[in-house]
Amino acid sequence: MLSMTGYGRATCERDDRRLTVEIKTVNHRFLDLSIRMPRNLAFLEDDLRKGIGERLTRGHADVFVTYVNHRADAREVTVDKALFNADAEALAAVAGTDLRDDRSLMAVAKLPDVITVTEAEEDREALKALMKEALTGALDELVAMRTREGVSMAEDLLYRAELIEKMTGEIEVRYPDTVAAYTERLRKSVEELIGQNVDETRLLTEVAVMAEKSAIAEETVRLHSHIAQLREVCGRTEPIGRRLDFLVQEINREVNTISSKSQDIPITKLVIDMKSEIEKLREQLQNVE
């Protein structure tokens, strides 16, 4: 089991190039990527998305890519000679005024747009290799953190499931007493109403109808089955969040059915406690991949 919350960071440095990938994830129904990277690395985005998609299936991921190039050929310096000459001629035209004439090569070169520094064309293959290595390291760290948190979450889910199963057993034990209690209440009510002994045949018929309407054996059997499946699914290594969502929905459905059938206060109290544990299961499942 994996959590959808985690963080991973890795840096790859080679040939005076350094690229860092950071990934922070939180829960989300689907895989949702938000990538921030320098514009000159935009060509890496498709490979970045593909690499993340191979390791993650659900969750919102904020991905940050930073890049530094210290190579001597990392930048290109160009001189606009036409602009340089035009600036020099314009300054010469106003020479001889009262202002001090400090014209020099450097002074003219410092004028706007005469010298332009631009980023050189990057070696795409070298950057792809850097990105792949850094991304692998960041994802390894991220998945390791999500795995550690997933272990804790699995323990809590199994504990909640055990509580629900225990209460299911208590309901199964309690149910026969509810039929006997209903029989006795019905007998007393009829005797008080008509003032004579009850027709046992009619009484047993009414009790049988009540027992059929309130029978919960099917629901408790399915509850045991769903909980057994939940335990089995929690032991899997692939993404299981959606399957667990379905199982908890089914568990909740059976508990609601028991609640609607039962007229017994102790069973009703157990059902309320079961619903409380189901809500805790749902809260945990929001963060399971």
Side-chain angles (χ1 to χ4, degrees):
M1 179 184 293
L2 294 178
S3 166
M4 282 191 282
T5 301
Y7 174 81
R9 181 181 187 276
T11 298
C12 183
E13 189 167 1
R14 191 180 300 117
D15 297 330
D16 290 329
R17 294 185 177 95
R18 185 173 71 249
L19 188 145
T20 300
V21 176
E22 293 181 81
I23 308 175
K24 180 181 179 182
T25 60
V26 294
N27 61 304
H28 195 276
R29 289 187 63 192
F30 309 103
L31 181 60
D32 178 48
L33 303 180
S34 174
I35 299 176
R36 300 177 187 176
M37 61 197 309
R39 291 185 61 185
N40 62 330
L41 302 186
F43 66 92
L44 295 174
E45 184 170 340
D46 287 343
D47 289 342
L48 194 65
R49 289 182 178 274
K50 182 179 179 182
I52 295 172
E54 290 174 351
R55 301 284 297 275
L56 308 181
T57 59
R58 295 176 69 189
H60 171 79
D62 287 310
V63 185
F64 304 92
V65 180
T66 55
Y67 173 64
V68 178
N69 188 339
H70 292 296
R71 292 170 58 88
D73 60 357
R75 295 170 182 81
E76 294 179 352
V77 180
T78 57
V79 178
D80 189 333
K81 293 182 178 180
L83 181 59
F84 177 88
N85 292 331
D87 285 341
E89 291 175 3
L91 291 174
V94 295
T97 62
D98 293 338
L99 297 174
R100 181 170 64 87
D101 187 357
D102 60 351
R103 281 178 296 164
S104 66
L105 180 64
M106 288 302 299
V108 177
K110 289 179 180 179
L111 293 173
D113 300 327
V114 174
I115 295 180
T116 305
V117 180
T118 57
E119 299 291 332
E121 184 70 21
E122 291 286 355
D123 184 339
R124 293 197 170 193
E125 294 304 316
L127 281 179
K128 283 184 178 181
L130 281 178
M131 188 275 292
K132 184 177 181 180
E133 186 174 335
L135 178 61
T136 299
L139 285 170
D140 287 345
E141 185 176 307
L142 172 70
V143 171
M145 180 178 291
R146 286 159 63 111
T147 301
R148 288 193 298 270
E149 187 172 335
V151 170
S152 299
M153 293 172 60
E155 291 175 353
D156 185 71
L157 288 175
L158 293 174
Y159 171 70
R160 304 293 172 192
E162 183 178 350
L163 290 178
I164 293 172
E165 187 168 45
K166 180 181 178 182
M167 287 184 277
T168 301
E170 292 177 11
I171 289 174
E172 289 174 317
V173 172
R174 172 67 188 173
Y175 176 71
D177 293 338
T178 66
V179 177
Y182 175 79
T183 303
E184 188 60 28
R185 288 199 307 271
L186 183 60
R187 183 191 303 276
K188 289 183 178 180
S189 297
V190 173
E191 288 178 350
E192 290 176 0
L193 182 64
I194 64 177
Q196 61 185 35
N197 292 335
V198 179
D199 183 341
E200 289 297 326
T201 301
R202 181 65 181 273
L203 177 65
L204 291 176
T205 300
E206 291 295 330
V207 171
V209 171
M210 173 269 178
E212 182 178 356
K213 289 182 179 180
S214 64
I216 57 173
E218 291 184 7
E219 287 75 17
T220 56
V221 168
R222 283 195 291 265
L223 274 173
H224 287 299
S225 174
H226 296 329
I227 292 170
Q229 290 182 64
L230 186 146
R231 288 195 181 100
E232 186 271 327
V233 171
C234 282
R236 299 181 184 180
T237 56
E238 72 269 19
I240 57 175
R242 290 189 176 91
R243 189 172 185 84
L244 288 176
D245 282 338
F246 171 76
L247 285 172
V248 172
Q249 287 178 19
E250 292 301 305
I251 290 172
N252 187 61
R253 190 193 314 276
E254 304 302 338
V255 171
N256 282 336
T257 303
I258 292 173
S259 177
S260 65
K261 287 184 174 183
S262 175
Q263 300 178 9
D264 182 65
I265 293 177
I267 289 181
T268 300
K269 289 181 178 180
L270 286 168
V271 165
I272 292 173
D273 291 339
M274 293 169 80
K275 288 184 176 182
S276 175
E277 296 303 325
I278 289 172
E279 285 304 309
K280 293 173 184 177
L281 284 175
R282 283 174 166 170
E283 291 176 7
Q284 282 283 33
L285 288 179
Q286 290 179 5
N287 204 29
V288 176
E289 183 177 14

